[in-house]
Amino acid sequence: MNVLRQHAEEQFAHELEEISKQDKNARPTSWNLSPQAVVHYLIGGKLPNGFEVSPKYIGNRRLMEIAVATLTTDRALLLYGLPGTAKSWVAEHLAAAISGNSTLLVQGTAGTSEEAIRYGWNYAKLLAEGPSENALVTTPMMQAMRTGKIARIEELTRITADVQDTLITILSEKTLPIPELNMEVQAVRGFNVIATANNRDKGVNELSGALKRRFNTVILPVPETMKEEIAIVQHRVSSLQKALELPAEAPALKEIQRIVTIFRELRAGVTADGKTKIKTPSSTMSTAEAISVVNNGLALAAHFGDGRLNAEDLAAGLVGAVVKDPIQDKVVWNEYLETVIKTREDWKDVYRACKEIVL
């Protein structure tokens, strides 16, 4: 299929198949893999037969073990953290490995209604026939309950509080009442919910205490070390470059190191050596944005350069990632350029390229 981005269970079907063949551990009802095998799929590594599984999450293995263990219980999983900490990525791969289907998804927005979570109606049939199962429009949540699979809710905190609370009965009683038909949908074994949320962006609604108690929360942190973040950027850039078929050379490690250094320093408010304090911009400076900057640079190098990623290719995306507020962030960025980047002897090309971009 000539799709831009395959679902995880399609893109990594070969890996999931090999893991399943080698998986000798007990599998919970309706799970495609055992909990141990799901964690192996996420963290990566060699199987007993020598097959290499690519890492989906580069970070603390224990966090993945806690997340997977939660899904074997009657509690739902909330992946919580700053934007760009791979919450959606992890949720998708968890659903793919456990259920073989990551598409049972509710996208949370301020406009998400109860009908998007519970069920809706085909109004033409409703008017013609009256309330009936035939007129019912099922949701991803209802499908997951009926089939014993994982349902996903993206950006739970963007959904208004009254709509969020429609989840309480589903999560506590494992039933979905349909009073119009005097019936209910009862969840089949294997059903559970993975939600993602952050408290950094605008438009965030706090979860009620009742709803929080139905979730086990796993906080996904920003990468702890420079080495870890570089590895994440390298892995994701390589994967995306292949998927997008960008005719450029793989980026040199030096360029990725420089991008990650800039992001980590601006995020922390201090230089890597701890000697100079700097102002932080309004943007999150997440790992996901660093990946985007490198990919944008690769596209420029491929189509408008010599195919090799250089400072000029990175500068445009870099400045755009930092300067979200044209007044506040412009001051922060220019100060960082003059006090940090300009003073680094082997960063002169980055300094010149960034200064050439008029803000």
Side-chain angles (χ1 to χ4, degrees):
M1 292 177 63
N2 190 26
V3 297
L4 186 59
R5 183 184 183 280
Q6 291 182 308
H7 298 303
E9 60 272 20
E10 298 168 345
Q11 184 179 354
F12 297 95
H14 186 45
E15 288 189 11
L16 289 168
E17 183 182 355
E18 285 295 327
I19 294 172
S20 180
K21 289 177 182 177
Q22 299 292 312
D23 186 12
K24 307 301 181 184
N25 296 304
R27 305 181 187 188
T29 304
S30 299
W31 280 42
N32 288 1
L33 298 173
S34 68
Q36 298 92 328
V38 174
V39 172
H40 197 142
Y41 168 73
L42 288 167
I43 298 298
K46 284 188 178 181
L47 296 176
N49 65 351
F51 183 86
E52 190 73 35
V53 178
S54 63
K56 317 302 179 303
Y57 179 75
I58 298 173
N60 190 331
R61 182 188 182 94
R62 191 60 174 171
L63 290 178
M64 295 299 101
E65 291 175 346
I66 294 169
V68 173
T70 294
L71 293 171
T72 67
T73 71
D74 63 346
R75 289 173 67 82
L77 173 65
L78 177 62
L79 297 175
Y80 198 75
L82 294 174
T85 48
K87 299 182 298 295
S88 300
W89 178 254
V90 170
E92 179 184 358
H93 284 283
L94 280 169
I98 293 169
S99 299
N101 184 354
S102 63
T103 65
L104 299 175
L105 171 68
V106 176
Q107 177 61 57
T109 69
T112 300
S113 64
E114 287 188 27
E115 289 77 12
I117 297 174
R118 297 171 69 239
Y119 55 86
W121 296 99
N122 181 322
Y123 287 102
K125 291 183 178 179
L126 187 65
L127 290 172
E129 305 172 7
S132 66
E133 284 195 60
N134 192 40
L136 202 65
V137 176
T138 61
T139 62
M141 185 67 66
M142 183 183 287
Q143 292 176 45
M145 294 178 73
R146 283 176 166 172
T147 58
K149 296 188 181 299
I150 300 292
R152 296 166 53 209
I153 303 178
E154 284 293 302
E155 302 289 359
L156 179 60
T157 48
R158 290 194 179 279
I159 301 173
T160 56
D162 56 330
V163 177
Q164 288 177 9
D165 284 346
T166 61
L167 286 167
I168 292 176
T169 300
I170 294 172
L171 297 181
S172 59
E173 305 297 329
K174 309 303 181 192
T175 62
L176 176 56
I178 308 175
E180 297 91 338
L181 301 179
N182 194 29
M183 63 174 284
E184 64 181 9
V185 174
Q186 292 184 298
V188 173
R189 283 185 178 274
F191 165 75
N192 214 325
V193 174
I194 303 173
T196 65
N198 76 75
N199 64 350
R200 178 67 182 268
D201 290 344
K202 295 178 180 179
V204 165
N205 300 292
E206 187 66 30
L207 300 180
S208 68
L211 189 55
K212 283 180 179 178
R213 289 193 296 273
R214 269 89 181 161
F215 282 100
N216 189 30
T217 301
V218 173
I219 299 174
L220 297 185
V222 295
E224 187 174 345
T225 65
M226 172 84 74
K227 182 179 179 181
E228 186 177 289
E229 190 158 7
I230 288 171
I232 293 169
V233 174
Q234 275 188 306
H235 180 72
R236 290 289 291 129
V237 166
S238 175
S239 176
L240 287 167
Q241 185 179 6
K242 184 184 294 185
L244 297 173
E245 299 180 346
L246 291 176
E249 290 184 10
L253 178 60
K254 173 186 174 183
E255 301 300 345
I256 291 179
Q257 287 174 330
R258 295 202 289 191
I259 287 294
V260 171
T261 298
I262 292 169
F263 270 66
R264 291 182 69 86
E265 289 180 336
L266 287 171
R267 192 163 64 216
V270 64
T271 53
D273 58 12
K275 294 180 179 179
T276 307
K277 288 188 176 181
I278 52 181
K279 295 175 182 176
T280 57
S282 61
S283 53
T284 58
M285 304 305 296
S286 68
T287 308
E289 289 176 297
I291 293 166
S292 179
V293 168
V294 178
N295 278 329
N296 184 70
L298 283 173
L300 284 170
H303 301 298
F304 303 103
D306 61 2
R308 296 179 182 178
L309 186 67
N310 56 40
E312 288 74 21
D313 299 320
L314 290 172
L318 178 58
V319 174
V322 178
V323 183
K324 302 295 187 185
D325 183 316
I327 299 175
Q328 177 186 334
D329 291 341
K330 181 179 177 180
V331 173
V332 172
W333 177 239
N334 283 329
E335 185 176 305
Y336 179 72
L337 278 176
E338 298 299 328
T339 61
V340 179
I341 293 184
K342 187 178 181 179
T343 62
R344 290 174 173 161
E345 191 60 37
D346 58 342
W347 286 46
K348 299 298 184 184
D349 55 339
V350 176
Y351 175 77
R352 289 192 298 269
C354 291
K355 289 297 286 185
E356 287 175 2
I357 298 174
V358 179
L359 297 177

